[in-house]
Amino acid sequence: MSDTFRLTLAQLDATTGDLSGNAAKARTAWEVARDAGADMVALPEMFLTGHAPRGLIRRPGVVAEARRHLDELIAACADGPALGIGAPTRPGDAEKPRNTWVVAHRGRIVAEVHKHHGSRDAAFETRSLAAGDVSGPYAIGPVRIGTLIGADAWFEDVAETLAETGAEILIVPTASPYSRGGQDVRYGHMVARVVETGLPLVWLNLTGGQDDLVFDGASFALNPGGALTHHLPSFEDAIVHVDFDRTADGWRARPGIRVPQPEGPEADYRAMVRGLRDHMSKSGATTALLGLSGDTASALVAAIAADAIGPANLRCVTLHSDDTARENARDQAKRLGCRLDILPIDASHAAVTETVAQLSDAPPTDIAEANLRSRLSGLLLASLADTFGAMLLTPATKSDLAIGGVTILGDATMGYDPVKVLYRSALPDLCRWRNAHHVEGFLGPAREVVPTHLIDTPPAADLAGAAQLPPYPALDDILERLIDREQSVEEIVLAGHDRDDVKRVEHRVDAIASTPIRSPGPCLSGRTARRDRRDPSTEV
């Protein structure tokens, strides 16, 4: 019996619904594993359909088509290493399909492991997928392997059952979106599993952006006791071989690649770049259009877009008549090397104002005037995006969306919004990080891309005017405590905030929560701008 075992980890991106494309990626990974003399290749949770399939998974034809692609893949990968891949299956006459990790070797299926615990807050799973019983380990060559799919690894019962029934190595195929601080949460749970079972564990994650989710990869391997032997890169595809040796104390992973992981502003920025790049490529878009207003938020979105798709594929437009805003926009576009068009809206504004005046003799209020300009800007930007065949981008922050600091149907509520998960107070640190760093894979220029004077200019102290909300950074701290931490008014007051300020912000957030002002964009923090709910597809 062999005393070594080579497991190939295929940390790859899958496109939801692209069964043939995902199967082709899986076959390529299998061929890499075969050529490297691996015993098995592993791919993430639900890789064949992409994650999260949501409504697709409720269509019987999709599940049947996934099975057809799975059978063809198994037949094509018969002569070589075993294949482990996530896919939906519908056992027998089951009413709902199951989230399954299929293991095939030598042209036949040797195990179908069904997910037992639903992902935390993943409403689509509870609606569309049935939970399965805990599966026992299966043998590949000299090793008995136990598999825990995604959230099954957060609970001790599945791992304990696998250890008690003879598992020698644990594999966790998952589709875990990036969230701030998520790495530490993952480590904590997985270290607990290896300590409890005394078994080595491999945690294999998906990469890439899909709709409002960004999967960061960052897969890793642990030996008993929690010793980290491998750590794959974040936000990048990778195929890595993990070699195990049989020892007197059981199987142990040899030390291997350990890539430093991004943290703080770098991690957020890279997640937004990957999310925008994949959202565009998977939508078939090659160019983007952005209204450049000369403020920090639009400057940051422009930098993200340039890094994601390249300055030549980014077209900026400024609609402002204010000289300072125009000069800021020109400076930003010049730094990035992207095209900037100046399109005054004064004539359009006058025409609409004249039309409205036919029904009212009263001059427009300040609020009506501001909303009109924002809606005209949104209309023009959307029309330009349609004209040029470009994807429209939006620079509305989480602060703006949470308190209604944007106009419904205005320029900040239309298009894909890379910064919708950031409080406005977080923007300066991200801009400073990008000005000082240029990571491999960024397509924008390797220099200062956001003007310093924009970064250092404090945002407006009161986004909602009549609402009398507190200035930054107090407003963002209250919002973060209300939305992300779900703290009570009393807890926030004890943290040092004025009670009246907290109550006003709470009232504003609750009033806005039911207003349809959301734009598509990445979910990086695990929470949306709505106080009463989490993103339904978020799993740490």
Side-chain angles (χ1 to χ4, degrees), residues 203-223:
W203 191 88
L204 173 62
N205 194 21
L206 201 66
T207 58
Q210 184 64 52
D211 299 324
D212 57 347
L213 300 177
V214 182
F215 301 99
D216 56 326
S219 306
F220 56 88
L222 300 170
N223 270 331

Side-chain angles (χ1 to χ4, degrees), residues 174-204:
T174 187
S176 182
Y178 166 75
S179 63
R180 298 184 198 99
Q183 288 272 23
D184 291 339
V185 176
R186 296 164 178 172
Y187 293 153
H189 282 288
M190 298 310 109
V191 169
R193 301 293 85 83
V194 299
V195 169
E196 292 159 0
T197 63
L199 301 176
L201 178 147
V202 172
W203 191 88
L204 173 62

Side-chain angles (χ1 to χ4, degrees), residues 88-389:
T89 62
R90 190 187 297 273
D93 297 326
E95 180 181 353
K96 294 181 180 180
R98 293 179 182 175
N99 183 336
T100 305
W101 206 60
V102 178
V103 182
H105 197 202
R106 299 186 178 124
R108 66 181 185 87
I109 294 175
V110 298
E112 289 192 9
V113 179
H114 306 298
K115 192 170 187 177
H116 181 63
H117 293 287
S119 298
R120 189 174 64 181
D121 300 318
F124 90 93
E125 285 202 35
T126 57
R127 288 196 304 266
S128 307
L129 296 168
D133 295 330
V134 177
S135 304
Y138 49 89
I140 300 294
V143 182
R144 289 181 60 80
I145 297 173
T147 295
L148 307 92
I149 303 174
D152 285 351
W154 299 148
F155 303 91
E156 62 185 30
D157 58 340
V158 180
E160 288 182 352
T161 298
L162 289 168
E164 290 171 356
T165 52
E168 297 172 297
I169 295 175
L170 300 178
I171 298 178
V172 183
T174 187
S176 182
Y178 166 75
S179 63
R180 298 184 198 99
Q183 288 272 23
D184 291 339
V185 176
R186 296 164 178 172
Y187 293 153
H189 282 288
M190 298 310 109
V191 169
R193 301 293 85 83
V194 299
V195 169
E196 292 159 0
T197 63
L199 301 176
L201 178 147
V202 172
W203 191 88
L204 173 62
N205 194 21
L206 201 66
T207 58
Q210 184 64 52
D211 299 324
D212 57 347
L213 300 177
V214 182
F215 301 99
D216 56 326
S219 306
F220 56 88
L222 300 170
N223 270 331
L228 182 69
T229 64
H230 296 71
H231 206 157
L232 278 58
S234 291
F235 308 111
E236 298 176 21
D237 293 357
I239 298 178
V240 172
H241 312 295
V242 180
D243 291 317
F244 292 87
D245 295 312
R246 187 196 302 274
T247 73
D249 298 319
W251 290 91
R252 297 292 184 267
R254 298 177 194 168
I257 180 175
R258 292 176 57 176
V259 179
Q261 302 297 306
E263 298 179 345
E266 177 185 0
D268 279 357
Y269 190 90
R270 292 180 63 180
M272 290 184 288
V273 169
R274 181 69 193 255
L276 174 57
R277 178 181 294 161
D278 286 353
H279 183 76
M280 289 188 62
S281 66
K282 293 176 181 181
S283 301
T286 57
T287 59
L289 183 114
L290 169 67
L292 203 54
S293 58
D295 66 355
T296 310
S298 64
L300 179 60
V301 171
I304 292 168
D307 285 332
I309 61 175
N313 295 313
L314 172 63
R315 185 168 187 165
C316 293
V317 179
T318 182
L319 307 172
H320 287 264
S321 56
D322 178 75
D323 290 340
T324 300
R326 284 189 179 184
E327 287 307 310
N328 286 342
R330 284 194 182 99
D331 186 10
Q332 176 75 37
K334 182 178 179 181
R335 289 167 182 263
L336 289 173
C338 64
R339 175 170 177 168
L340 174 68
D341 294 300
I342 297 176
L343 184 65
I345 64 170
D346 295 339
S348 300
H349 180 270
V352 173
T353 301
E354 182 180 345
T355 301
V356 172
Q358 297 180 35
L359 298 181
S360 174
D361 295 332
T365 64
D366 291 343
I367 292 178
E369 175 74 11
N371 285 341
L372 174 57
R373 286 192 172 274
S374 177
R375 289 185 177 122
L376 277 174
S377 297
L379 171 64
L380 289 171
L381 291 171
S383 297
L384 289 170
D386 288 343
T387 299
F388 301 137

